[in-house]
Amino acid sequence: MEQLVNFIIRPPRAEYDPKNDLLDQEFMLKGKWFQRKDLEVVNSRGDVLQCCHYVPIVSPEGKPLPCVIYCHGNSGCRADASEAAIILLPSNITVFTLDFSGSGLSGGEHVTLGWNEKDDLRAVVDHLRADGNVSLIGLWGRSMGAVTRKSSGVVSRLLLPGLMYGAEDPSIAGMVLDSPFSDLVDLMMELVDTYKFRLPKFTVKFAIQYMRKAIQKKAKFDITDLNTIKVAKSCFVPVLLGHAIDDDFILPHHSDRIFEAYVSSIFSLSKKLMVIWLDEHCKLNSGSYPLSDREGCYSGGRMFGTWLWIS
């Protein structure tokens, strides 16, 4: 049972060398020069977060530029943001990425699947706004692709701070969320069926209750609070929900449920732009369509170009 608890709050940290595994300190994309600025940000709990900000060496017209904060998944790190940076930087959208507390090279003992990580985002947003070189801010939470996920462990998919923070900060210009879960406890119950564990329902529920109490004691958060449907109902930041075509871990109906919670909000739909990428077997009234993982990544980049320059 202790292994299951650690599966949630203490997955393996990503190991990487900033000198070799991040984009270069200076590099060229499409004829323009960019740089990586390494820095540290301290969150409200005193944990030191290792971060980097990808920016043009010479800012166009000397004006503040929009910025996308890239949010990695569990067992992920800031090195995962390289593809997003390559996509966004040529459009003069800077990219900020960090190791969340408890992940990568940052301080912190536990991972909380978004509960404490949303406070890490708050510290980063406060830093960017105080810096004065950033205009609008977007959030990109993108999971591992299906092949990478299967080789590195399904735990890499669970971190979801973007939506939880976006609900608290309506000034965020837009969010791209890849393969989010709608409710952690529901997901746990589903996984028992998905992987055909022959356990009675009452046994599974007992195990989840044990894990809940153990996690509350160790990491000081309640897994039953990780319900993104409740969060979506109070969030009106523009969002693009993405789901892998062949996702057999977090099933596509989780994005369906979050989408429905979003559109049931009392806020005007004219303030939202929602495009859902789902398995072609899922049916939504949103004009959903299946995309490959790479197509989804580029669609997310194009969407930020719209939000951050037109908002």
Side-chain angles (χ1 to χ4, degrees):
M1 192 65 74
E2 191 69 18
Q3 288 181 331
L4 292 175
V5 172
N6 288 333
F7 176 85
I8 300 294
I9 64 172
R10 187 56 281 156
R13 284 181 182 260
E15 297 181 0
Y16 69 98
D17 182 352
K19 293 182 180 180
N20 299 321
D21 299 322
L22 302 177
L23 295 179
D24 293 339
Q25 290 284 351
E26 294 186 0
F27 55 96
M28 178 179 285
L29 291 172
K30 297 186 176 180
K32 301 178 182 178
W33 281 97
F34 299 91
Q35 62 181 322
R36 187 190 87 230
K37 295 183 176 180
D38 296 330
L39 64 149
E40 295 179 343
V41 173
V42 180
N43 65 17
S44 60
R45 299 179 304 282
D47 300 322
V48 178
L49 309 177
Q50 299 299 324
C51 313
C52 51
H53 195 181
Y54 295 106
V55 299
I57 290 181
V58 179
S59 181
E61 301 180 8
K63 296 180 179 179
L65 296 176
C67 177
V68 167
I69 303 172
Y70 184 93
C71 308
H72 66 74
N74 257 10
S75 293
C77 65
R78 54 182 167 154
D80 301 339
S82 296
E83 187 175 12
I86 291 170
I87 293 169
L88 293 169
L89 286 171
S91 298
N92 290 325
I93 298 174
T94 70
V95 175
F96 192 101
T97 182
L98 70 152
D99 291 347
F100 282 111
S101 55
S103 297
L105 304 180
S106 287
E109 183 178 359
H110 295 115
V111 168
T112 62
L113 307 184
W115 188 255
N116 286 334
E117 287 81 4
K118 69 179 184 293
D119 296 328
D120 297 345
L121 279 179
R122 182 177 293 106
V124 166
V125 170
D126 288 346
H127 164 80
L128 290 172
R129 288 179 175 150
D131 181 66
N133 293 313
V134 168
S135 55
L136 297 174
I137 296 175
L139 305 177
W140 190 338
R142 180 166 178 259
S143 70
M144 304 286 193
V147 174
T148 305
R149 169 177 58 81
K150 290 175 181 176
S151 63
S152 61
V154 292
V155 71
S156 64
R157 296 292 306 285
L158 289 177
L159 198 62
L160 189 67
L163 181 55
M164 299 183 76
Y165 177 76
E168 299 179 358
D169 187 350
S171 70
I172 295 298
M175 301 184 294
V176 171
L177 307 176
D178 183 340
S179 305
F181 61 84
S182 59
D183 182 278
L184 182 60
V185 174
D186 287 351
L187 175 61
M188 289 177 172
M189 296 293 292
E190 287 178 6
L191 290 175
V192 173
D193 293 331
T194 299
Y195 292 98
K196 302 186 186 304
F197 295 116
R198 295 182 178 180
L199 296 172
K201 290 290 185 183
F202 76 87
T203 303
V204 178
K205 291 180 179 179
F206 175 80
I208 290 175
Q209 284 303 314
Y210 174 87
M211 292 172 62
R212 178 190 180 192
K213 292 179 181 179
I215 289 171
Q216 283 179 307
K217 183 177 181 179
K218 286 189 171 184
K220 312 301 181 187
F221 78 102
D222 189 341
I223 60 174
T224 63
D225 289 333
L226 294 174
N227 184 321
T228 54
I229 293 176
K230 293 180 180 178
V231 176
K233 289 180 179 179
S234 63
C235 185
F236 59 100
V237 172
V239 64
L240 172 65
L241 290 167
H243 225 104
I245 296 171
D246 57 351
D247 198 329
D248 59 359
F249 179 60
I250 302 176
L251 299 178
H253 73 81
H254 283 268
S255 283
D256 188 347
R257 294 174 68 188
I258 295 173
F259 172 82
E260 291 174 352
Y262 240 98
V263 298
S264 67
S265 166
I266 62 173
F267 299 108
S268 169
L269 292 181
S270 65
K271 295 180 181 178
K272 306 188 187 78
L273 177 60
M274 302 177 194
V275 181
I276 315 296
W277 325 322
L278 290 175
D279 186 304
E280 55 192 348
H281 298 294
C282 287
K283 297 179 181 179
L284 287 176
N285 295 323
S286 60
S288 63
Y289 52 94
L291 291 176
S292 70
D293 189 58
R294 181 167 294 275
E295 287 172 331
C297 186
Y298 279 92
S299 293
R302 289 194 298 269
M303 199 62 66
F304 275 125
T306 301
W307 285 331
L308 297 180
W309 284 115
I310 298 179
S311 298

